[in-house]
């Protein structure tokens, strides 16, 4: 029942929904990063910083949020191969994040113990 005029409109709406989904996913990843970023950059004892939170965590978390949102969008649209590929990308990003400990606070915060 698609005519020549409704097919481009449907594609435009689908593309716009995908873009909004990706933007919301990236913003969710940034929102997850913010508390860790603040603690890693400014919450240290005597100015100690953990720059891995900024250099690795800042790009990795919005990218992971973007891939997770697009995986959900692809799954809803029935594009299973794309969704599984994006889920594999999210798993790879999570493994990279855990491997490099990108959400770790400064060392002094974790070594301080009970008085802190």
């Amino acid at each position: 029942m698609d005519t020549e005029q409704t097919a481009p409109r449907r594609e435009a709406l689908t593309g716009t929904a995908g873009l909004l989904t990706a933007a919301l996913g990236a913003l969710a990843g940034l929102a997850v990063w913010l508390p860790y970023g603040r603690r890693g950059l400014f919450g240290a004892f005597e100015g100690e910083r953990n720059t891995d939170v900024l250099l690795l965590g800042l790009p990795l978390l919005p990218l992971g949020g973007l891939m997770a949102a697009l995986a959900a969008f692809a799954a809803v649209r029935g594009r299973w191969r794309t969704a599984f590929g994006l889920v594999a990308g999210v798993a790879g990003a999570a493994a990279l994040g855990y491997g490099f400990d990108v959400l770790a606070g400064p060392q002094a915060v974790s070594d301080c113990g009970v008085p802190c």
Side-chain angles (χ1 to χ4, degrees):
M1 194 112 156
D2 285 336
T3 63
E4 290 180 17
Q5 295 170 349
T6 59
R9 182 173 220 185
R10 180 173 291 151
E11 289 229 3
L13 287 174
T14 303
T16 303
L19 177 69
L20 290 175
T21 302
L24 287 174
L27 286 175
L30 185 63
V32 168
W33 177 82
L34 282 174
Y36 295 102
R38 185 177 54 85
R39 186 183 66 196
L41 295 176
F42 304 115
F45 179 70
E46 292 184 356
E48 181 186 2
R49 295 178 181 202
N50 185 3
T51 55
D52 287 345
V53 172
L54 179 67
L55 299 176
L56 294 172
L58 181 59
L60 197 61
L61 276 142
L63 181 66
L66 180 128
M67 286 190 296
L70 286 179
F73 185 72
V76 166
R77 293 194 62 216
R79 300 186 182 221
W80 299 107
R81 282 188 182 170
T82 305
F84 288 139
L86 287 166
V87 167
V90 170
L96 184 70
Y98 286 124
F100 284 109
D101 204 16
V102 297
L103 297 180
Q107 188 66 32
V109 173
S110 62
D111 288 343
C112 187
V114 178
C116 293

